[in-house]
């Protein structure tokens, strides 16, 4: 029986790969001199604003609910959802939404971020507090509340803080949805929230 040339070539390549023995290499040193900032909160704010987001500083001692209530993006819209209780403007209970499609006209989602990253202005959010997680991306306007003390310098510090459960979801969000693929023209709100507002507080 004639063996196809392609089969012979494949067997020859696989045999050569099996016979190839690479020398062992020591693991790299995991001590990385990552970037540090004199004022990580200020750096975080600058980066968030540079990628199209907005940062609001809550007054000393002010609750995050009061700070969020004063935002124009909250006052100007009707369908508002909050991942945490106490926001009087919220009129959608996200944990009672069985079908994610019911959120197709969600105006504002207010959620609490776990920590922020000064290096790239990203905020780590998970689905620990509420379902469905699509709310982060299907809303028109996203408001993330973040404790000032929870801003780390760089992504190395950020990754060291990540913890995972059996089916946990988490994602870094930096700025509103945007794209510049077409003619290198920046478009905000291309395929997700049209705005991101970060509320920095001492009590989140």
């Amino acid at each position: 029986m004639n063996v196809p040339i392609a089969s012979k070539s494949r067997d020859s390549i696989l045999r050569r790969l099996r016979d190839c023995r690479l020398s062992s290499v020591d693991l790299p040193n995991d001590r990385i001199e990552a970037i540090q900032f004199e004022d990580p909160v200020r750096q975080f704010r600058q980066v968030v604003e540079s990628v199209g987001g907005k940062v609001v500083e809550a007054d000393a001692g002010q609750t995050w609910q009061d700070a969020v209530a004063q935002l124009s993006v909250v006052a100007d819209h009707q369908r508002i959802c909050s991942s945490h209780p106490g926001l009087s403007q919220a009129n959608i209970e996200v944990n009672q939404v069985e079908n994610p499609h019911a959120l197709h006209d969600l105006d504002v989602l207010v959620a609490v971020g776990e920590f922020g990253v000064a290096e790239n202005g990203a905020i780590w959010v998970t689905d620990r507090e509420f379902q469905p997680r699509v709310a982060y991306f299907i809303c028109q306007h996203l408001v993330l509340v973040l404790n000032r003390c929870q801003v780390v310098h760089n992504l190395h510090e950020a990754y060291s803080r990540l913890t995972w459960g059996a089916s946990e979801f988490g994602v870094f969000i930096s700025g509103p949805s945007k794209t510049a693929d077409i003619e290198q023209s920046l478009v905000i709100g291309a395929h997700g929230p049209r705005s991101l507002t970060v509320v920095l507080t001492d009590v989140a």
Side-chain angles (χ1 to χ4, degrees), residues 79-81 91-106 130-135 138:
R79 289 179 56 78
I80 300 171
C81 172
N91 50 29
I92 298 175
E93 176 53 60
V94 69
N95 286 319
Q96 295 180 2
V97 176
E98 297 182 358
N99 184 351
H101 291 89
L103 298 173
H104 72 279
D105 57 353
L106 179 62
F130 70 92
Q131 295 285 348
R133 61 198 185 203
V134 70
I138 204 170

Side-chain angles (χ1 to χ4, degrees), residues 13-30:
I13 293 171
L14 293 176
R15 183 172 58 255
R16 292 171 64 184
L17 288 173
R18 283 192 296 266
D19 293 341
C20 181
R21 294 291 184 268
L22 299 178
S23 302
S24 61
V25 178
D26 293 335
L27 291 175
N29 187 343
D30 61 358

Side-chain angles (χ1 to χ4, degrees), residues 37-113:
F37 300 97
E38 181 178 348
D39 187 341
V41 174
R42 182 178 63 185
Q43 174 69 20
F44 173 81
R45 177 172 189 154
Q46 291 175 348
V47 177
V48 170
E49 293 175 345
S50 73
V51 297
K54 180 180 179 181
V55 178
V56 174
E57 298 265 358
D59 295 332
Q62 185 182 34
T63 67
W64 70 262
Q65 290 92 340
D66 288 342
V68 169
Q70 296 176 3
L71 299 177
S72 59
V73 71
V74 173
D76 295 343
H77 292 88
Q78 299 298 318
R79 289 179 56 78
I80 300 171
C81 172
S82 175
S83 66
H84 286 58
L87 183 64
S88 59
Q89 291 82 357
N91 50 29
I92 298 175
E93 176 53 60
V94 69
N95 286 319
Q96 295 180 2
V97 176
E98 297 182 358
N99 184 351
H101 291 89
L103 298 173
H104 72 279
D105 57 353
L106 179 62
D107 291 321
V108 182
L109 171 68
V110 180
V112 176

Side-chain angles (χ1 to χ4, degrees), residues 44 54 56 64 68 71 83 109-114 121-125 130 136 141-147 171-175 196-201:
F44 173 81
K54 180 180 179 181
V56 174
W64 70 262
V68 169
L71 299 177
S83 66
L109 171 68
V110 180
V112 176
E114 294 193 8
I123 300 172
W124 179 252
V125 296
F130 70 92
Y136 284 117
H141 305 279
L142 178 60
V143 177
L144 294 178
V145 180
L146 183 66
N147 191 309
V171 64
F172 285 105
I173 294 179
S174 178
L196 168 69
T197 304
V198 180
V199 177
L200 291 176
T201 176

Side-chain angles (χ1 to χ4, degrees), residues 3-17:
V3 179
I5 295 177
S7 179
K8 290 182 178 179
S9 299
R10 182 198 62 192
D11 292 342
S12 176
I13 293 171
L14 293 176
R15 183 172 58 255
R16 292 171 64 184
L17 288 173

Side-chain angles (χ1 to χ4, degrees), residues 154-170:
N154 52 68
L155 278 172
H156 299 286
E157 293 180 8
Y159 272 86
S160 69
R161 298 186 59 168
L162 301 185
T163 58
W164 301 101
S167 59
E168 191 172 294
F169 163 86

